[in-house]
Amino acid sequence: MKIQKAFLKNRMSKTLYNYPQNTKAGDKDFKISFSVSALEEENAEEFGGETLSSYHLLLEGRGKYDYRDGRSLEAKLLDIHSCEEGENLKVTGEGRLFHMTMDGGVRGFIRILKPEQMLSMRIGEGVGDCVMAFLGIDGGFRLEVDGEAVNCDRDEAVFIEMKNREFGQLKLWPEQPGMTIVSANSVMLSPYDFGKYIGVRFLERGDGTCKARLDVRPEHMNPIGTVHGGCLFTLADAACGIAASSTGGICTTVNSNIQFLNAAFYPKYLTAEVKPKKIGHKLRDFQVEIRDDKERLICTVDFVFYSLQK
């Protein structure tokens, strides 16, 4: 385990943290980067690429997100926006933008925490190295992992790096109840990403939500000419796993149930959309709807996840 701090106080654009260290965007082995950008109206910050995905969070000021497909969204303070693999995004405005950029087999998310008291969670991954970041927005906090502690003032960030199958207990004490803390988490999944192996591509990710797409190939079909039920479940499971993880802590599936409503005869693609039903302290319920390229509802899948976060 490794812990280090970075300062966000000046308005210059800079990289805060790279993993692996001493790499930069464009390097062959570039995997993940946390950065802050000073936005300008005339010069757009550009993100995206075939293997890149990123999350963006406006820390102060105002801004606008322009996607290659023509979407244009207002950047509001502390609203989280994603740029998925294969997309391109331009950001303009006036203020500061925090973003994490991931390459290849890396999955991650950003959450907004408002703890009223000490927060405790189990951290680490069993399938790859992981990196976590915590930022104090309107106050400071104290963070401790297995006895190693660090104090973080407002407008500072703490980064925690953990190796594959290294686990720890994280405790976080806010300077004042209900203050805003940004939590970002990433894990190096490759080659442990079955969903990506069969072709699942994420379209949108949010706090407890996810939308994913699978372009149907011949190997996804069964002998009677419909998409195999196991393929449908994998699409739902991959999307719901992202949604569950975004709610915080390490989550594991404890129950799932799939209802096949219509046969998927040779669709061009399938889209899965995850919506939370109830996010409890320990149990988190979701429903996934899978539709074909004609918007016909193919199946619904219910999931119950258990959170190992205290």
Side-chain angles (χ1 to χ4, degrees):
M1 181 185 68
K2 183 177 180 180
I3 301 178
Q4 72 178 61
K5 289 174 60 174
F7 299 93
L8 292 72
K9 292 183 178 179
N10 65 52
R11 306 199 66 158
M12 299 292 291
S13 298
K14 62 180 179 179
T15 299
L16 303 171
Y17 189 91
N18 271 335
Y19 183 87
Q21 291 189 357
N22 302 317
T23 63
K24 58 184 179 181
D27 286 354
K28 185 177 181 181
D29 58 352
F30 171 72
K31 292 295 181 183
I32 182 168
S33 175
F34 295 93
S35 303
V36 171
S37 295
L39 295 180
E40 298 179 0
E41 292 287 3
E42 297 79 13
N43 300 311
E45 287 281 332
E46 298 189 19
F47 304 92
E50 287 305 311
T51 64
L52 294 175
S53 60
S54 53
Y55 275 91
H56 309 274
L57 186 77
L58 188 66
L59 297 177
E60 63 179 38
R62 56 182 177 79
K64 185 176 70 169
Y65 298 102
D66 290 310
Y67 290 87
R68 182 175 59 183
D69 62 7
R71 287 178 295 153
S72 184
L73 303 172
E74 179 186 356
K76 298 180 181 179
L77 289 178
L78 300 182
D79 274 359
I80 301 165
H81 290 264
S82 66
C83 178
E84 302 297 340
E85 293 181 9
E87 289 186 332
N88 292 97
L89 171 67
K90 294 182 179 180
V91 189
T92 55
E94 182 178 339
R96 288 189 305 158
L97 184 76
F98 172 77
H99 43 90
M100 79 172 179
T101 305
M102 299 163 284
D103 190 13
V106 182
R107 292 287 181 265
F109 49 84
I110 293 179
R111 297 174 60 223
I112 301 296
L113 306 178
K114 291 184 176 291
E116 293 293 329
Q117 55 189 355
M118 188 270 285
L119 177 67
S120 177
M121 69 179 77
R122 182 172 167 82
I123 61 172
E125 298 286 345
V127 296
D129 297 354
C130 69
V131 178
M132 302 183 71
F134 293 88
L135 291 70
I137 301 300
D138 49 8
F141 59 88
R142 176 179 172 83
L143 183 146
E144 179 182 302
V145 181
D146 292 345
E148 186 172 345
V150 60
N151 292 315
C152 185
D153 293 329
R154 178 180 178 178
D155 227 3
E156 294 181 348
V158 175
F159 301 95
I160 305 170
E161 177 185 315
M162 303 191 75
K163 296 299 182 182
N164 181 14
R165 296 176 185 170
E166 180 182 16
F167 298 94
Q169 195 67 31
L170 181 146
K171 296 180 180 179
L172 187 152
W173 292 267
E175 186 175 77
Q176 53 190 357
M179 62 170 282
T180 302
I181 298 175
V182 175
S183 168
N185 184 71
S186 66
V187 57
M188 320 302 164
L189 289 179
S190 184
Y192 307 101
D193 193 351
F194 180 65
K196 186 173 183 179
Y197 175 76
I198 72 165
V200 176
R201 180 164 57 90
F202 298 107
L203 304 176
E204 300 173 11
R205 285 179 273 187
D207 190 0
T209 65
C210 183
K211 192 172 183 179
R213 169 172 164 153
L214 176 68
D215 292 325
V216 176
R217 305 192 301 255
E219 58 266 34
H220 296 146
M221 309 297 287
N222 62 26
I224 65 172
T226 65
V227 177
H228 194 284
C231 186
L232 293 169
F233 188 85
T234 296
L235 171 59
D237 189 44
C240 201
I242 291 292
S245 297
S246 73
T247 60
I250 303 171
C251 293
T252 182
T253 308
V254 295
N255 189 41
S256 59
N257 178 61
I258 186 168
Q259 280 195 307
F260 298 101
L261 303 174
N262 288 291
F265 283 103
Y266 297 102
K268 295 179 181 178
Y269 60 85
L270 297 165
T271 304
E273 185 170 3
V274 184
K275 295 181 180 179
K277 294 166 66 178
K278 181 179 180 181
I279 306 298
H281 182 59
K282 286 294 187 181
L283 295 178
R284 300 168 185 185
D285 294 16
F286 301 87
Q287 185 174 76
V288 186
E289 293 185 350
I290 294 182
R291 300 179 184 272
D292 64 11
D293 54 310
K294 297 180 176 61
E295 286 297 312
R296 181 172 51 181
L297 183 61
I298 302 300
C299 65
T300 61
V301 192
D302 292 303
F303 284 92
V304 179
F305 282 81
Y306 179 78
S307 172
L308 299 177
Q309 175 177 323
K310 289 185 178 180

